[in-house]
Amino acid sequence: MIVKMDTERVKTVAVTASLATWLVATAAGQLPETRFDDLLKFGKLQIPTPNWRFFGPNPGVKDSHLLYRDLVDGEPGEWQEIPITRDRPWYALAWNARNRSPKALFDAAQGIRSMTSAYGSALDPVVVSPGYRLLSRYIQLHLAHTEGATHTQFLLMNSFLVDPEDRRIEPFFVSREIPLENDGTARPATSPEIRIAA
């Protein structure tokens, strides 16, 4: 008796079973408990799964703030905040493409935070970092500047609630004075929709 196998059906079943197993393993890897982590990574199967535990193990408790000011004739102006968070549309749970550019700015600010923690008051290592350069160029080229300003500067700080009535502010980084690459005339904001988002 000769048994003929349908190779296409076998391939379909194998691929479907593999993807289903990977989906279940990925879901198990996102559970708050970490009991499956070692089994998935170091067990006999060694299934590579992403880790998307967004708020674990240390949830974020601080709000980030990005401010900038212009200098005219060497005199600094008032700090202006670039909004870090904004309301998301209802469909952002499934599709939030507008979050990409703001997320890059947010990550740059967090990278500077890490650098300041690692190097303390040493400014030179931070200035050459990708995050510092990205924020510098963003502020130079995409924000409105005061007429006659020759330099700009940015400030990063965190804020958090101590109690319902009291919010504490922690400045953690002030940039060097960054030369503006224009003739000192005011430039319009070229991308008002690009804002840092959490």
Side-chain angles (χ1 to χ4, degrees):
M1 179 182 211
I2 299 173
V3 178
K4 292 185 177 180
M5 295 183 66
D6 185 356
T7 56
E8 288 302 315
R9 182 174 292 213
V10 171
K11 289 177 187 177
T12 302
V13 169
V15 169
T16 304
S18 299
L19 290 175
T21 302
W22 193 46
L23 178 64
V24 170
T26 300
Q30 311 315 307
L31 295 174
E33 298 180 25
T34 58
R35 70 173 81 175
F36 296 106
D37 289 1
D38 291 338
L39 178 65
L40 294 172
K41 292 180 182 176
F42 306 111
K44 291 182 180 179
L45 297 178
Q46 294 184 358
I47 300 173
T49 57
N51 185 345
W52 291 327
R53 288 186 183 102
F54 293 118
F55 303 108
N58 300 314
V61 295
K62 297 181 179 179
D63 294 328
S64 299
H65 302 271
L66 171 62
L67 299 91
Y68 80 106
R69 67 180 177 186
D70 292 331
L71 290 88
V72 179
D73 297 328
E75 292 296 320
E78 294 291 322
W79 289 108
Q80 302 176 61
E81 184 169 5
I82 303 167
I84 289 182
T85 59
R86 67 177 179 186
D87 294 333
R88 296 181 182 181
W90 63 269
Y91 55 83
L93 180 63
W95 177 255
N96 194 17
R98 291 184 301 172
N99 194 38
R100 291 179 182 161
S101 297
K103 182 70 166 74
L105 297 177
F106 179 80
D107 289 346
Q110 296 308 310
I112 291 174
R113 171 104 180 158
S114 298
M115 295 284 287
T116 56
S117 297
Y119 292 101
S121 61
L123 193 57
D124 289 337
V126 181
V127 169
V128 297
S129 69
Y132 182 94
R133 291 178 8 217
L134 187 145
L135 287 181
S136 297
R137 297 299 286 172
Y138 174 73
I139 290 168
Q140 280 178 322
L141 302 176
H142 296 285
L143 298 179
H145 293 287
T146 307
E147 186 174 351
T150 56
H151 292 76
T152 191
Q153 192 175 28
F154 67 88
L155 164 69
L156 296 170
M157 62 184 187
N158 290 326
S159 68
F160 58 95
L161 288 175
V162 178
D163 61 54
E165 300 296 324
D166 184 18
R167 178 170 286 274
R168 185 164 297 168
I169 295 173
E170 290 181 340
F172 65 85
F173 183 78
V174 178
S175 74
R176 290 180 173 165
E177 294 178 3
I178 305 161
L180 291 173
E181 298 179 351
N182 60 11
D183 57 2
T185 58
R187 69 185 305 153
T190 55
S191 53
E193 289 299 315
I194 298 180
R195 296 179 180 174
I196 300 181

